[in-house]
Amino acid sequence: MKTILVAAGTSDNKRNFAVNYIQDYLSQKGIDVNVYGKSIYEVETVDPDVDAVVVIGQPKFTTEVPVIDGTPFITKFGMEGCCDKVIEALT
């Protein structure tokens, strides 16, 4: 199982929307994932078990795992493309 962190500087509702959307999208593609969200302001380091990070906002952390721009979850345009980038990062 892969683990994805959604680090968002937006409201809890937008962060939860992104978490649920990514979880559903990847599950429908047959990818077994655990997606969870945190405030981008609380993330100082990324847990070693995280396989990819979707950021909505400006991260103040660095990591070796792939980081995907989650701006489409604010605009609601291009969310599928963002999820496809997550899939690419996991493979």
Side-chain angles (χ1 to χ4, degrees), residues 31-49:
I31 301 170
D32 191 21
V33 294
N34 174 36
V35 184
Y36 71 100
K38 287 180 117 176
S39 169
I40 201 166
Y41 307 111
E42 295 175 1
V43 179
E44 294 179 9
T45 60
V46 176
D47 293 334
D49 61 336

Side-chain angles (χ1 to χ4, degrees), residues 3 9 16 18 20 29 31 33 35 41-42 46 48 54 70 75 77 81 86:
T3 301
N16 292 336
N20 293 329
K29 299 283 185 182
I31 301 170
V33 294
V35 184
Y41 307 111
E42 295 175 1
V46 176
V54 176
T75 64
F77 294 105
V86 172

Side-chain angles (χ1 to χ4, degrees), residues 34-77:
N34 174 36
V35 184
Y36 71 100
K38 287 180 117 176
S39 169
I40 201 166
Y41 307 111
E42 295 175 1
V43 179
E44 294 179 9
T45 60
V46 176
D47 293 334
D49 61 336
V50 170
D51 298 292
V53 180
V54 176
V55 294
I56 304 171
Q58 294 298 317
K60 296 194 183 340
F61 58 87
T62 58
T63 181
E64 297 297 318
V65 301
V67 176
I68 297 95
D69 179 13
T71 302
F73 291 102
I74 296 173
T75 64
K76 302 282 194 316
F77 294 105

Side-chain angles (χ1 to χ4, degrees), residues 80-91:
E80 297 88 358
C82 181
C83 289
D84 290 336
K85 289 180 183 177
V86 172
I87 293 170
E88 288 176 24
L90 296 177
T91 57

